[in-house]
Amino acid sequence: MWAGQDYLSLRTLCQKKGELFVDSLFPEDISDPGVEWKRPAEFCSNPTFIENGASTTDICQGDLGDCWLLSAITSLTLYPSLFSRVVPNDQSFSPSDGYCGIFHFKLWHFGEWLDVVIDDRLPMKNGRLVYTKSDTREELWSALLEKAYAKVRGSYSALQGGTIPEALEDFTGGIAETVSLWRHTPEEVWDMISQSESRKSLMACYIQASEPQDTGRVNEDGLVLGHAYSVIGAKEVTQASGEATLVRLRNPWGFTEYTGPWSDKSLEWEAVSEKEQIAWNLQREDGEFWMLCEDFCSLFSMIVTCRVNLDSSHCIATHLHGRWESGVSAGGGRRLRSFFTNPQFRILVGGASDEEVEPGTTEERWTVLVELMQTDGRTDKLHIACHLYKVPKEQVSRPRLDRGFFTRSRPVCDTGDPQNSRGVTMRACVAPGDYVIVPSTYDPNQEGNFYIRVFCER
């Protein structure tokens, strides 16, 4: 419902007619009788698109439960080159710049960047924006970006449900991986965050609520259960007892902060100079705070990292579209005898396969990152999984591997139990050679379209 609109053509047409753009493909979709749809000039005296460059405090969550989306947008503001691709900066509310009520944003969609066009009517109630807003009333890029994303999802209410990896990928075209923090030591997590920051990967995290009724409750540490946060920094600070590794987080609400060690008003900061405290941004209640990496690992459930620029010279990348067809190529899960009928895609990792390693040398290893995504946009998503197998030298010439191979062989790596999510990922460290990727659904004869991305890096 949102594709096929040409921003420049629509903008030119509105300017010629002297009319403000009204998006017929995304009408007012909120049934609350107290909500009014207004253009920015109707509720603030000097509306601006972006004020003095985008920052993390430009995003404050409103009445919509889309912290997963806003945590991703916050992370996006940290990298100007990524941000300017999603949020074109040649847009303005000034009549001298040709303002006519139309804006556009770029979102990644299964291998291509698409232009999403919207008008600037926003939902208001009791004189305030209902949903996302900036910390200054006049700045509106974040509210408009949220509206563009709502259009892609079908409605504002559709933003009540979503995942951090989806949003991070849609804003970057990168691959997002979710890591359970309890599986790793604080040292491993610190290395992961530091490496991700140096690679300019976007990061966000989530704190699980043990019971559904606890979602939204603020615990004794000032953290919101069942809530997504942005990971926006990592630093080491020197103290008398040695180096402390700190992680900086942001609550998309724009308020309600962590109250434990190294929080904004904690005693630990007394050993740090006032100049450094200012540099570390400890001045006000803005939803941002620092915490020890050890505490981060014990209090949060998972972290999501989204690596971007995977098409650089350091990686070998490929992608493809496919389909599961009933009775033809929808063989179901790995435990089924029909599994071999699923689509099979061959990849050659590291050049010539099965080359012998000379004595005394280290075997060459490659990191293979694979993502499988279902592309139908259905609400009742299929349970999907993806598997990577090493192809024996004697079977490389065969166009397809048979039932016997999959009965005898175990995958080098897989995405785990089938999940009813938009996408699943797997990462493997493998030797050079021939491999086969097999995407599957949980049950046989389930039809659907899919998209696979593969990245290899030595």
Side-chain angles (χ1 to χ4, degrees):
M1 67 178 293
W2 53 273
Q5 291 175 294
D6 184 85
Y7 167 72
L8 290 177
S9 298
L10 290 170
R11 185 170 184 265
T12 300
L13 181 62
C14 289
Q15 289 172 338
K16 286 182 177 179
K17 291 184 175 181
E19 299 175 347
L20 295 179
F21 176 65
V22 176
D23 186 9
S24 61
L25 297 187
F26 191 57
E28 301 171 1
D29 70 331
I30 301 174
S31 57
D32 186 338
V35 170
E36 299 179 278
W37 292 79
K38 294 185 177 182
R39 297 189 187 269
E42 298 177 283
F43 60 82
C44 59
S45 58
N46 184 33
T48 58
F49 186 61
I50 298 177
E51 187 177 273
N52 301 321
S55 70
T56 56
T57 56
D58 293 345
I59 305 99
C60 297
Q61 187 176 344
D63 296 347
L64 199 60
D66 60 349
C67 58
W68 59 276
L69 173 63
L70 303 189
S71 66
I73 297 176
T74 296
S75 298
L76 183 67
T77 64
L78 301 175
Y79 302 105
S81 61
L82 298 176
F83 179 84
S84 61
R85 179 168 57 186
V86 174
V87 185
N89 56 18
D90 58 345
Q91 304 184 84
S92 169
F93 289 97
S94 172
S96 62
D97 293 329
Y99 166 76
C100 54
I102 186 171
F103 290 84
H104 70 129
F105 300 86
K106 303 278 189 178
L107 296 174
W108 183 87
H109 187 72
F110 304 128
E112 57 183 327
W113 287 91
L114 301 179
D115 212 19
V116 183
V117 177
I118 59 166
D119 62 38
D120 62 353
R121 295 173 301 158
L122 294 169
M124 304 280 297
K125 188 173 184 179
N126 299 324
R128 66 177 184 89
L129 286 170
V130 177
Y131 299 142
T132 294
K133 56 187 71 66
S134 174
D135 63 345
T136 59
R137 184 179 176 88
E138 290 77 16
E139 186 177 49
L140 294 158
W141 71 263
S142 57
L144 293 171
L145 176 56
E146 181 187 48
K147 180 175 182 177
Y149 204 83
K151 181 177 180 178
V152 171
R153 304 279 291 204
S155 66
Y156 272 107
S157 60
L159 300 186
Q160 295 278 4
T163 67
I164 298 170
E166 290 177 13
L168 290 174
E169 291 180 344
D170 292 343
F171 292 139
T172 65
I175 288 186
E177 297 178 82
T178 302
V179 175
S180 295
L181 291 171
W182 66 271
R183 294 176 179 268
H184 298 271
T185 67
E187 292 75 20
E188 290 172 335
V189 172
W190 173 255
D191 288 341
M192 182 193 314
I193 293 174
S194 299
Q195 290 176 15
S196 295
E197 188 176 38
S198 66
R199 289 174 174 168
K200 297 186 177 180
S201 298
L202 276 67
M203 294 177 281
C205 57
Y206 185 77
I207 183 167
Q208 186 72 48
S210 57
E211 300 293 339
Q213 62 268 24
D214 287 336
T215 299
R217 181 175 68 83
V218 180
N219 67 13
E220 60 275 12
D221 296 302
L223 299 172
V224 185
L225 302 180
H227 192 53
Y229 289 75
S230 305
V231 180
I232 60 175
K235 286 187 178 182
E236 291 182 319
V237 61
T238 302
Q239 53 182 350
S241 58
E243 295 288 335
T245 54
L246 304 182
V247 180
R248 187 161 182 79
L249 308 177
R250 186 172 195 276
N251 182 350
W253 289 357
F255 56 91
T256 307
E257 298 183 6
Y258 174 62
T259 58
W262 294 101
S263 58
D264 284 5
K265 298 178 181 179
S266 69
L267 298 177
E268 286 79 6
W269 290 107
E270 292 182 359
V272 178
S273 70
E274 183 177 350
K275 181 179 179 180
E276 283 187 287
Q277 290 185 38
I278 295 173
W280 286 55
N281 191 18
L282 307 171
Q283 304 306 303
R284 62 193 180 103
E285 172 86 1
D286 56 1
E288 296 185 8
F289 54 87
W290 293 94
M291 68 189 311
L292 274 174
C293 187
E294 293 91 329
D295 293 334
F296 173 71
C297 293
S298 64
L299 295 171
F300 281 81
S301 308
M302 63 188 69
I303 184 171
V304 181
T305 63
C306 184
R307 189 171 175 185
V308 298
N309 299 322
L310 286 165
D311 55 352
S312 68
S313 59
H314 300 293
C315 295
I316 300 172
T318 188
H319 63 100
L320 53 93
H321 291 268
R323 177 172 174 77
W324 294 291
E325 292 189 33
S326 178
V328 178
S329 59
R334 190 168 73 87
R335 305 297 181 187
L336 301 176
R337 288 174 56 83
S338 57
F339 177 75
F340 79 101
T341 65
N342 283 304
Q344 298 179 23
F345 302 102
R346 296 287 184 89
I347 60 171
L348 177 59
V349 177
S353 61
D354 293 309
E355 293 183 347
E356 293 187 5
V357 179
E358 295 182 10
T361 63
T362 303
E363 183 182 41
E364 180 181 310
R365 305 293 289 183
W366 287 72
T367 295
V368 178
L369 182 59
V370 180
E371 180 176 41
L372 166 68
M373 307 175 77
Q374 48 186 319
T375 61
D376 294 316
R378 53 201 289 172
T379 54
D380 57 333
K381 292 182 173 63
L382 302 174
H383 284 72
I384 61 173
C386 199
H387 322 262
L388 181 70
Y389 290 83
K390 180 76 168 64
V391 181
K393 188 174 182 179
E394 64 274 12
Q395 298 196 45
V396 168
S397 60
R398 295 185 180 182
R400 284 184 61 84
L401 300 171
D402 59 18
R403 177 185 293 155
F405 169 82
F406 292 105
T407 301
R408 297 186 302 269
S409 306
R410 293 181 61 82
V412 174
C413 185
D414 61 36
T415 57
D417 293 334
Q419 301 175 42
N420 64 334
S421 59
R422 186 180 78 171
V424 291
T425 61
M426 61 179 169
R427 176 187 290 269
C429 183
V430 301
D434 289 271
Y435 295 83
V436 62
I437 297 170
V438 184
S440 68
T441 58
Y442 180 74
D443 292 317
N445 299 318
Q446 291 185 303
E447 296 198 330
N449 296 301
F450 61 80
Y451 173 71
I452 292 178
R453 294 192 284 171
V454 184
F455 296 91
C456 299
E457 183 176 35
R458 178 148 56 181

